[in-house]
Structures are given as structure tokens and as C-alpha cells.
Amino acid sequence: MSGIVFSVIGASIESCSPESTGLVSNTYHNTTAHYNAYFYASERMREIEESIYESADINYNNILDLYPQFDTTASKAVNTQIEDCIKKASIAIQRHPSSEWVEESYILVGKARYYNRDFVNAIETYKYVNKTSEDDDARHEALIQLIKTFVDAGESRNALAVSDFMKKEKLNHRNQKNLYLTRAYLFQKALDYNQMVQNLSASVPLLMNNEERAKIYFILGQVYQELGFNSEAYNSYKNCLKSNPNFDLSFYSKLNMAQVTELSSPSDVKQVRKYFKKLLRDKKNEEFRDKIYYEIANFEFKQDDIDAAIENYNKSIRISTTNRRQKGYSYLRLGEIYYSDLKNYELAKSYYDSVVSTLPKEEPGYQDIAERQKILADFVTQLNTISEQDSLLTLSNLDTAALSAFVDEYIVQKQLEQEEENKKKEKREVSSRRNTAFDNTITQINTSLEGSTWYFYNSSVASQGRSEFTRKWGNRPLEDNWRRSSKDQVITDQSVEQKSAGIEVEDSQIAETAGVSFNKAQLMASVPFSQEDKNIALTKIEDAYFKLGNIYAFQLEEEDNAIITFETMLARFPDSEFKPEVMYQLYLLYRGQENIEKQDYYKNALIEQFPKSIFARIIINPNYRADSQAATARLEKIYKEAYELQEIGVYDQARSLIRNALIDEPENNFSDNLKLLEIIIMGHTEDIYKYQYELNNFITTYAESDLLPYAKTLVKTSEDYQINLFNSSKAKFSKDFNQVHYFVLAYEANPVMAEELPAKVQHFYKTTFPDERLNPANLILDASNSLVMVNEFKTKDAALKFYKAFMESDVLSSYITMKFFTFVITKDNFKIFYETKELESYKEFFASNYL
């Protein structure tokens, strides 16, 4: 039989003309490609898109995305379908290259690559179709998909270029609709809502599907509402409801309509409030009550009733048990109200803490929210520091009996607060058990059962139940304890809610309170009684005022509070290290307020008291920063030249370059680099004493330099070198006194003395020998002794004159219990003395030859 069939087919083919044979061949390839490989590839694509759409995160608090957003996780979930789609579409291309389904198959390959987030190859695929296809409809479809892929790949310029090209093309009905929607998607991502509205409106007449039409009308309503066109938004939501939308779109359309209803009289406001109450009473909206309360709060805020808005935002928070996003938005609005409207930053900080811990991190604007939370946290920290340290300082002035009574009262008060908080916690736990998500689900099922047959015999109710279950619990496997993860989530959410800015306190905060020590001895020990502890407290307050003023000025942008804070700081701490900067900030703040009198006061005070500060220089020369930057660039170039010279041993020329540069720019920000390089060069050309002397001078002169740690390392290295190099053998001092002399004051090593003595010696010679150009230095001799040295005196007599005047002065009168050795010494002998550390030997030499 098969032979007969074969011969008949063969005879039929042989008897056909070439034209007929080609026709049969095309029909075969078209039919086989369409109903085999292409069909199965299309089925895989349908499965891919359904999965992507179902897994998409729909956020009705923001304008809905025209196309579902998906990440690598969503792509991996359909990886098998993607690979099979590409495989089947490739078969249609390779085995049926002359069929009319080749371009369609290539487009399927491009879409599969797009959903695999392989944007590069998806783009190349669409470009290939546009370049090779003779079918305009296929080309147009590929180019529309190309726009969408460019958008998601972050190549908006390329997307716009293709979009502009497509406006010139004549498109069929389906491609024209998709072009409008894709262009709207492009402008949505660019936040160009005007262009988005134009394209969405143009697409509406081309929409044949009710579900699609309802979604587009809803998005149009959202965009109009965002732009402030309430009348257009109302009509769009109304058209959405006419399009028979799904339950969610219907609910949110009704909810949003209340927000954009025209309010021309008080009765309209009452009507909207009545409408909200109706939504709350509707049992079908049980799950959405948190959202309803949120929208009621938004409505009341628009009516300037902030108290009602706050009340309803808190109701939304309390009633929300599973919707973290909605709870996060309610916290956010409360945070914004306390931040922007009520200026209560401490309370705003508590709400922003809750937002950050509740709202999904992927939410638009999350990073800005987190940044504001950090600012508020810092703000509250500074306020608390000032309050706490001031309180402790006040307590330090009480006598023992009064302080003891105060601490006793404080402990009793805190214990009562803790007991009250424990009672509140217990009530919350009871309330939470009554309002678990499981109870809400049972209520919904019971509602569905009213007036119906058994639940699972009613297919529409069962289908709705599955949707409700999936929305609430997600896709859970059938297993024991399937709700456990969600139970944990509810507990977490409840804890976040309880943190609600003084209205409800988070459990962890209660735990922290419970952990606070009520030990009387420990509390009294925290009071700063000694002057040292009081100084530490005052330093904390000073630092907090400075930071608080900057937060007010630069982050909260509250000029008046910044001025009050800075002026309070200057009044309390007139010698603050921050004074030049604070005076400059006050000058700027008053200039911004056009307060000429105050502006000039701080300008003149700053120039008079701190003429060399960068802030005074900026006022005197507004171009100071630019000039300084240019000078820095010149010094950097000189530094490079000098460094290269010292590397090859041309030390004199290198030092000459540096000296000239420092004469021209002695106080540039880069000057310390040049000075330290000069000292390093001196290490090659001078004795070790001179090297260490200059290093110690550098540490004193450039106390704020970033190079300070390195300079100290060089000092330590040179000292270690001396210790290793020289032994403690008896020193032999020279009796050649016809040379430069130094004055030296040796004292027992002491950090306080190291700060005080050089200043006292400097004050002595400036008042007693004002015409002499002398330089002091503080040196470490060994582990037990340090030196203050004054150089240099040209003759022995000049040195002794200085020595006698010093010994007759009262410089050391306040150090009765301290031991000093004061002497003069030649340059050569100092080198020997410093290297051998023979203090006792030089005492004998000095007594024999100078006294």
C-alpha cells in the first residue's frame, strides 16, 4: 500500500510544472513552519509572558508600569521556556528558510533574548529583521520591539531615534497601537508625562481588548492625577470602570476617583467622606482597608486637616498586617508631615526609621528616603548630646543629698514607665492575635459562603479565593507549616508599627528600656564631678552645637535655626576651635537674609580676629579659592622638579627651588609638602640634630597637616637610629668655645611640660630680647628627659647673657617640685651631647667651663 501511495505522489510531482512545484513547496514550508516549529515557539512565548506578568510586582501607590518589570530572578524562572522558544523558532528559520514565518520566528528569538535580559543579542536580532525583511509589517514589529529593548537596556537616545523614524512609517492597526504604547513606555521611563499622556490617548481608539483598555485608562488617570489635571483623571478612572476591569483595578479606580473629585462646596467634601466610609463598610474591601485609610488621610491632608490626616495614616499602619509596602508609605507620609509641615524632626526621625525598615529597598526614591533618615538620625543625636550633657553638668552642681534624692526619684519614674510600657505591649500582643492574617482569610471565606453552595463547588468563588490567597501568601507549596514564614513577617511588621514615633513603641525599644541600669551607684557615677570630666562634657556640647548648626544650614535648610544654634555656640564657647568657620557661616546666613548690619559685624570680626584663616581670605578675595588652586598647581610642579633633583643628589638646587616657592606661597595648602621635602633633603646635607630639630618644628608649625603622622614617623626613625648607633660611653666635649652656642633647658619628660615650657620660654625671650631672632624647639633626649632649646647665639658671651637673664626670671617659679638643668652649649658639643645622652657628664663640663 505504501508503494502505491509513493508512486501516486511521485507521479503527481513529476507531472507538475515547475511553477506548480514551487507553489506546492511554498505551501508546504509555510504550513509546516506555521503549525509546527513556529506554533510551539509561540506557545513557549505565551508561557514566558504569562509568567513574567504574573510575577510582576504591581504597585498601585505609583503610576503602573505599561510593561511588567522583571529581573534576572524572573528570567531564570522561565529559562527552560526561553531556551525551548529559541530552539523551536530556530527550527522554523533553518528548515523552512523560504516560508513567510521566518521574520516572525526571528522576532520570537529577539523577544526570548529580551526576556532572558540578553539585550545585546535581542537588539541585533531586531536589527537583522529590519535590515533583511521585505515584509514591512514584520520590520515595523521588530523596530517597535527594538524601542522597548533599548529602553530597558538604558539606551534612551537610541530608543528615541528609532521612535522618531517610526513616526514617518505607515503602520498597520496592531503595529500602530503597539508603537503608541511603546512610545508611552519610553516617555514613562524618561518621566516625560506630557508625552506619555499624548501617546496613551492616541492608543485608546485602537484598543480592542477590554482588559487592555481598562489598564490604559487607569494609567491615564494616574498620570493626569500626577500632573494635577483632576477632571481628566476623574474621566479616565470612570472610563476604566466602564471597561469592566478586574477587581483590583476597579477598587483602585474608585479609590482614586475620590481623590480627584471636584470639590466646589462643603457638601462635596462631605460626599467624598461618605464615599470613603462606604468603601470601608464593603466586606469585599476588607483586605484593602489599610489602603482606604491611607487615601482618606491623603484627602484630609488636602483639606488642610493635618490632625485627621495623621490619625488616618496611623489607622492604616495599625490595620496593615501583610502589606509592608502600604505600611511603609503610611510611615513615609507621617515622616514627611512631621519633617516638612510640623518641623518636629525628632518625631520625623522615628517615622523615617520605620520607613527604612519597612519599605522595600527597590521602591522608587528609597535611597533619598534613607539619606533623609540618616540626616535626621544625626540631628537627633546632636540634640540628645546637648540635652544629656547639659543635664549632667547641672546635676554636678547639686550637693550630695540633693543629687541622691534626684536619682532616687528618677529611678522610680523610669520603673513606672517600664511597667506601663509592658502593659501596652501585652495589649498589643492580644490585639495582634485577634487580627492575624489567618482570621482575615477565614472572614473572607465566610463572606463568600453567604447565599451560596459549598465554597469549592462554586468555581467563580474558588477562583477568586485562589487569587486572594496568592496575593496575600504568594505561591506556597502544599506542605506542613506553610504559613510559618508569613507569621514571622507579621511579627516583624507589628514590631515596626510599634515604633511609630511615640504613638506606639517597638518591642526592641522596650527591651532596651528593660536593659537600662537602675543601679543608683552607676547613675551617680555618670555625673561629671571632676574638672576634667566637666571639660569632656563641654567639648561634647561644643561639637554637637557645631554639627547641629551645619545640619540646620545645609541639610534642613532652616536659616533661622542655624543662626540661633551658631550664635548660642559662640556665646557659650567664645574660644571654640570652630569659631572662624562659625563666624563665616553666620556672615553667609545674614548675607542671604540681607541683614547688612549683622553681615558686616561677622565679616569685620572674622577679618580682625582671624586674618590668616581661609574664611577671612575668601571674604577679602572672593577669587581666593581659584587663585589658591592655581598656586597649588604651580607648587605641585615645583615639588616634582625638586623631588627629581634630590633623587639624583642635586640637593642645593632642590632646596633653592623649594625656598623660593615657600617665599612666594608660604601658606598655600600644598606648602607643607614642600617644607617636609626640604627637611628630608636636609637629612642628606645637615647633621642629625638639625634634621630632628626641623622635623619637630614642622610638627609644631603644621599641626593640621595630613603629613603629620609621616613626620612623626621620621622623627621616631631618626631617634631609633641614634640609639642603635651610639653607645653610652663617656662623652669627650670640646673646649672650642669660639662658635655658635645654644641655650638648653633639660627637664623630666612630661606631656604637660612638653606643651607649656616651649611657650613660656618663647614668651620670655620675646619680652626680654625682642630684637633677637631666636627659635625655640622641643626635643626628646631619652626616655626620662626632654629638652627645650633656643638657637642660636653667635658667641659664648651672648649665650651666657641669655642664660643669666633666664635664671633670674620667674619662668620656672611655678614648677617648684620639678627638676631642671639649664645650660648653654656649643654646636659641636650639642651634637656629642645629643648623640651620647650624657647629661651628667655635661653638667660637670658646664660647671667647669662656664660658671
Side-chain angles (χ1 to χ4, degrees), residues 387-388 390-414 518-520 523-524 526-527 529:
S387 175
E388 178 184 336
D390 271 337
S391 298
L392 290 173
L393 287 169
T394 300
L395 292 176
S396 70
N397 294 322
L398 298 178
D399 58 42
T400 305
L403 178 61
S404 178
F406 177 88
V407 172
D408 288 339
E409 184 180 346
Y410 172 82
I411 290 174
V412 171
Q413 179 186 346
K414 287 300 177 183
F518 293 142
N519 182 285
K520 184 175 181 178
L523 289 172
M524 293 190 70
S526 65
V527 179
F529 291 110

Side-chain angles (χ1 to χ4, degrees), residues 15 77 90 117 203 234 309 338 407 410 463 481 493 502 543 636 675 731 769 798 804 829:
S15 63
S90 299
R117 298 191 67 82
S203 74
Y234 184 90
Y338 281 105
V407 172
Y410 172 82
S463 175
N481 299 317
D493 284 353
D543 187 61
E636 287 175 350
K675 185 61 182 178
F769 298 90
K804 290 176 182 178
N829 282 340

Side-chain angles (χ1 to χ4, degrees), residues 10-233:
S12 298
I13 292 175
E14 289 173 3
S15 63
C16 291
S17 66
E19 292 79 2
S20 298
T21 302
L23 181 61
V24 171
S25 176
N26 287 339
T27 302
Y28 165 77
H29 284 295
N30 287 335
T31 303
T32 307
H34 185 196
Y35 293 105
N36 284 292
Y38 177 78
F39 171 79
Y40 287 112
S42 298
E43 284 297 295
R44 296 295 87 77
M45 180 54 61
R46 181 182 60 78
E47 294 170 6
I48 292 166
E49 293 185 332
E50 284 181 357
S51 177
I52 294 291
Y53 273 80
E54 288 173 2
S55 65
D57 185 19
I58 301 176
N59 182 4
Y60 287 95
N61 289 293
N62 297 319
I63 296 173
L64 296 186
D65 292 301
L66 276 162
Y67 297 109
Q69 303 301 289
F70 60 97
D71 54 17
T72 53
T73 302
S75 295
K76 288 178 180 178
V78 290
N79 187 59
T80 302
Q81 294 93 321
I82 288 173
E83 290 181 354
D84 195 44
C85 177
I86 293 174
K87 179 180 178 182
K88 295 297 192 296
S90 299
I91 290 174
I93 294 168
Q94 294 167 3
R95 296 186 183 179
H96 309 286
S98 60
S99 79
E100 61 186 23
W101 297 98
V102 170
E103 290 89 350
E104 297 294 339
S105 296
Y106 270 117
I107 291 173
L108 283 178
V109 171
K111 292 174 72 174
R113 288 171 170 169
Y114 165 80
Y115 286 119
N116 198 38
R117 298 191 67 82
D118 182 5
F119 296 137
V120 173
N121 284 313
I123 289 168
E124 291 304 314
T125 303
Y126 295 136
K127 285 182 177 180
Y128 177 80
V129 175
N130 177 57
K131 183 178 180 181
T132 61
S133 177
E134 296 179 358
D135 183 347
D136 285 345
D137 290 341
R139 286 180 50 253
H140 294 154
E141 183 179 357
L143 289 173
I144 292 168
Q145 292 295 331
L146 181 61
I147 296 172
K148 183 180 173 185
T149 307
F150 273 140
V151 171
D152 287 338
E155 301 182 33
S156 56
R157 288 188 178 181
N158 289 334
L160 192 59
V162 179
S163 171
D164 290 341
F165 169 79
M166 289 293 289
K167 287 193 293 187
K168 305 171 186 176
E169 297 288 293
K170 186 175 181 180
L171 309 180
N172 63 26
H173 182 281
R174 184 168 70 96
N175 283 337
Q176 186 64 66
K177 177 200 74 171
N178 288 334
L179 176 62
Y180 283 136
L181 294 178
T182 305
R183 281 174 55 81
Y185 181 61
L186 164 63
F187 292 118
Q188 180 180 27
K189 290 298 182 183
L191 302 180
D192 187 346
Y193 292 135
N194 289 318
Q195 290 279 2
M196 183 183 176
V197 163
Q198 291 179 24
N199 282 277
L200 286 178
S201 300
S203 74
V204 168
L206 304 175
L207 300 172
M208 299 292 105
N209 181 285
N210 268 350
E211 182 179 353
E212 189 176 31
R213 186 186 299 111
K215 178 181 177 181
I216 297 307
Y217 271 129
F218 182 80
I219 294 175
L220 264 171
Q222 287 185 304
V223 178
Y224 277 129
Q225 188 173 351
E226 177 71 21
L227 294 173
F229 300 124
N230 289 343
S231 177
E232 289 80 357

Side-chain angles (χ1 to χ4, degrees), residues 353-554:
D353 286 345
S354 297
V355 178
V356 169
S357 63
T358 307
L359 203 64
K361 290 181 172 56
E362 301 77 22
E363 203 69 13
Y366 181 88
Q367 293 304 319
D368 292 336
I369 293 168
E371 184 62 31
R372 179 169 288 186
Q373 184 259 348
K374 289 179 182 177
I375 293 170
L376 290 171
D378 190 19
F379 175 86
V380 172
T381 297
Q382 307 315 321
L383 278 182
N384 289 342
T385 297
I386 294 170
S387 175
E388 178 184 336
Q389 297 304 319
D390 271 337
S391 298
L392 290 173
L393 287 169
T394 300
L395 292 176
S396 70
N397 294 322
L398 298 178
D399 58 42
T400 305
L403 178 61
S404 178
F406 177 88
V407 172
D408 288 339
E409 184 180 346
Y410 172 82
I411 290 174
V412 171
Q413 179 186 346
K414 287 300 177 183
Q415 288 173 337
L416 290 173
E417 289 177 2
Q418 182 174 320
E419 290 173 6
E420 183 66 25
E421 206 55 65
N422 288 338
K423 290 178 182 178
K424 289 182 180 179
K425 179 184 177 183
E426 186 176 349
K427 288 180 181 179
R428 282 196 298 268
E429 289 174 348
V430 172
S431 176
S432 179
R433 286 194 294 271
R434 289 175 180 172
N435 294 285
T436 60
F438 178 75
D439 290 337
N440 289 336
T441 304
I442 293 298
T443 301
Q444 290 178 4
I445 292 174
N446 290 336
T447 302
S448 300
L449 281 169
E450 292 177 6
S452 177
T453 58
W454 188 44
Y455 178 81
F456 291 103
Y457 284 164
N458 187 327
S459 59
S460 63
V461 175
S463 175
Q464 181 182 351
R466 281 194 297 272
S467 299
E468 301 284 346
F469 181 93
T470 301
R471 176 167 45 238
K472 180 173 294 183
W473 303 105
N475 293 315
R476 297 294 176 90
L478 186 60
E479 60 185 11
D480 291 340
N481 299 317
W482 60 271
R483 288 194 306 147
R484 180 166 294 167
S485 62
S486 286
K487 278 184 176 179
D488 293 341
Q489 188 65 67
V490 170
I491 293 170
T492 302
D493 284 353
Q494 184 68 17
S495 298
V496 174
E497 172 193 338
Q498 290 163 350
K499 190 176 180 179
S500 178
I503 295 173
E504 297 190 38
V505 184
E506 188 177 356
D507 288 345
S508 61
Q509 291 183 332
I510 296 171
E512 289 173 9
T513 304
V516 172
S517 171
F518 293 142
N519 182 285
K520 184 175 181 178
Q522 290 181 359
L523 289 172
M524 293 190 70
S526 65
V527 179
F529 291 110
S530 71
Q531 189 57 50
E532 182 180 357
D533 288 341
K534 289 180 179 180
N535 289 340
I536 292 172
L538 288 169
T539 299
K540 290 180 180 178
I541 295 171
E542 177 187 354
D543 187 61
Y545 267 118
F546 178 70
K547 291 177 179 177
L548 191 62
N550 280 310
I551 293 172
Y552 272 130
F554 300 112

